[in-house]
Amino acid sequence: LYYVSMLIGNPPKPYHLDVDTGSDLTWLQCDAPCRSCAKGPHPLYKPKKGQLVSCQAPMCMGVQTGHPSECTKPSQQCDYEIEYADHGSSMGVLVRDSARVLLTNGSMVRTNLAFGCAYDQQGSLATSPATTDGVLGLSSAQVSLPSQLANQGLVKKVIGHCIAGNERGGGYMFFGNDLVPTWGMTWVQMQGKPSTKLYHVGYPNMKLGNRLLAFNGIENNLGGVVFDSGSSFTYFTHQAYTAFVSLIKESLFETEFQLDSSDSTLPICWAGRHPIKSVADVRHYFKPLTLDFGSSPWLIKTKRFEILPEGYLVISPRGNVCLGILDGSEVNNGISNIIGDISLQGHMVIYDNGNSKIGWAHVDCHKPPKIKSFPFFK
């Protein structure tokens, strides 16, 4: 789980928000009063009178897609309900409040943002203790926090994150184009814009090492790819998952590793002769997974997103090595391949919503760019 700390309200108070490029709305657990809330790291957000967003506001229509409420007068509040892929849900009301953001020139700006006052969490979102106080919605929807900042002229319509791996975790995130590298990036066009708000990057060929993944002998029916920082693991379509697992098992056939079905950490785990301490100890047994998006007419080099073994393996508490790529058809609709945090580690990923393109580069995410001040979030 990767989260940021954000200062909201007057006086400003800190809240930890789950970084989620797959969500539209930013929301905080809220004492309105709260009907069902997890115990988070900070006290519940308390709205004040006059902060409610009207049900007739354009922002309200953006959060009520699929769940429209009857709206007869401007004084009515804007209710919403969000359902997530793991069947958790959050219900609340849209409010406005001030937020502090730190600019790259060192100045602190107070801006006014609309977000969800969430008073009813269900499923996994109601589990205590919770690491976060809510969700930071980073999709391209108009209600998302980056879109609101861009519409206020504070930043360009660009989001960047760099998720650091190994035990240290961490990383950094920024809004706007000040920190976008001028070279070394691989860029692809977003697919399905503007109708879809998710970050769909196309339909790649997939390789494990130098072997193409194929399902029923066909290589190009494995589904599209969506980048989603709100997902801890990576979820493949059933076709891609079946092909991937088949090649992994084949590559481990004459090694020391044996499937250990008694390890419930993840669906597939292997035991070695001795307990394994880190992925680095066994990475030479596993090949990189490459998503090949093809090449542009003017480029010789193809556009590839490479997932090293650290990007799809997890060491279990009992010292087994487990597969951190799961069958998406068993947890959600399984239509797309969802690239989650585990596989985004070690990449700077840029979502350029102004030009409808996504870029990435292998970098050390423990080292943020040198600027006068830290950009917005840590």
Side-chain angles (χ1 to χ4, degrees):
L1 177 71
Y2 287 82
Y3 61 87
V4 296
S5 184
M6 191 171 175
L7 295 172
I8 297 175
N10 190 20
K13 296 179 181 179
Y15 297 95
H16 290 171
L17 302 176
D18 186 0
V19 176
D20 190 358
T21 57
S23 286
D24 297 345
L25 182 67
T26 294
W27 57 263
L28 303 177
Q29 290 201 118
C30 179
D31 184 6
C34 186
R35 187 183 301 167
S36 173
C37 289
K39 182 172 176 53
H42 298 101
L44 297 177
Y45 169 80
K46 289 191 176 184
K48 298 175 182 176
K49 289 183 179 180
Q51 291 181 327
L52 291 175
V53 173
S54 166
C55 64
Q56 294 183 357
M59 196 76 73
C60 186
M61 289 185 281
V63 300
Q64 289 189 343
T65 305
H67 297 278
S69 299
E70 185 178 353
C71 178
T72 57
K73 51 187 178 181
S75 59
Q76 280 182 242
Q77 65 188 30
C78 175
D79 298 303
Y80 71 85
E81 182 174 5
I82 304 170
E83 297 174 7
Y84 293 93
D86 67 353
H87 307 298
S89 66
S90 179
M91 181 186 296
V93 59
L94 208 60
V95 298
R96 281 190 175 276
D97 205 343
S98 61
R100 300 284 182 93
V101 291
L102 192 62
L103 303 184
T104 52
N105 64 8
S107 62
M108 182 77 79
V109 174
R110 191 168 79 179
T111 185
N112 193 267
L113 298 171
F115 55 90
C117 166
Y119 57 78
D120 190 347
Q121 278 59 253
Q122 298 296 327
S124 60
L125 295 174
T127 304
S128 295
T131 309
T132 60
D133 301 295
V135 168
L136 182 66
L138 299 179
S139 78
S140 61
Q142 288 301 304
V143 73
S144 76
L145 190 140
S147 294
Q148 292 186 58
L149 292 173
N151 291 337
Q152 293 175 28
L154 284 173
V155 295
K156 298 292 185 182
K157 293 184 177 181
V158 176
I159 304 163
H161 64 63
C162 204
I163 294 174
N166 67 41
E167 297 79 16
R168 291 165 60 192
Y172 58 91
M173 186 179 76
F174 58 86
F175 297 160
N177 59 357
D178 288 356
L179 304 180
V180 176
T182 54
W183 60 277
M185 298 288 295
T186 297
W187 293 96
V188 298
Q189 285 297 123
M190 295 181 189
Q191 304 293 310
K193 295 297 180 183
S195 58
T196 178
K197 308 308 178 191
L198 298 176
Y199 294 114
H200 197 300
V201 291
Y203 296 82
N205 285 322
M206 299 186 185
K207 285 184 179 180
L208 185 65
N210 58 4
R211 297 188 62 184
L212 275 168
L213 272 63
F215 183 76
N216 290 339
I218 303 174
E219 299 161 354
N220 60 355
N221 69 337
L222 303 180
V225 167
V226 172
F227 284 3
D228 183 3
S229 69
S231 175
S232 294
F233 295 108
T234 288
Y235 295 89
F236 275 1
T237 63
H238 180 69
Q239 297 94 317
Y241 180 77
T242 302
F244 177 61
V245 170
S246 176
L247 287 184
I248 287 274
K249 288 182 175 179
E250 189 178 321
S251 68
L252 297 177
F253 182 65
E254 292 185 345
T255 67
E256 65 181 78
F257 296 102
Q258 299 293 325
L259 281 171
D260 185 355
S261 58
S262 68
D263 192 338
S264 60
T265 303
L266 285 165
I268 297 180
C269 294
W270 294 273
R273 291 195 186 98
H274 307 286
I276 300 160
K277 294 181 179 179
S278 72
V279 173
D281 296 337
V282 296
R283 71 185 314 276
H284 56 283
Y285 290 101
F286 297 86
K287 305 292 185 185
L289 174 64
T290 304
L291 312 182
D292 191 336
F293 293 92
S295 60
S296 300
W298 60 89
L299 288 177
I300 299 175
K301 185 180 178 182
T302 60
K303 300 178 178 182
R304 294 175 178 171
F305 186 86
E306 186 179 54
I307 302 172
L308 299 175
E310 291 83 354
Y312 65 81
L313 297 176
V314 175
I315 305 302
S316 77
R318 65 169 66 176
N320 289 340
V321 58
C322 303
L323 205 56
I325 293 180
L326 311 180
D327 186 346
S329 66
E330 295 182 2
V331 292
N332 52 43
N333 57 29
I335 295 174
S336 299
N337 297 288
I338 308 298
I339 308 302
D341 290 338
I342 185 173
S343 304
L344 295 172
Q345 294 177 116
H347 292 88
M348 175 186 282
V349 181
I350 309 290
Y351 308 88
D352 185 344
N353 287 301
N355 295 299
S356 296
K357 61 181 184 178
I358 296 178
W360 59 80
H362 267 300
V363 300
D364 183 354
C365 293
H366 292 295
K367 298 179 180 178
K370 292 182 179 179
I371 51 174
K372 292 180 181 178
S373 66
F374 201 83
F376 283 21
F377 303 106
K378 64 180 179 180

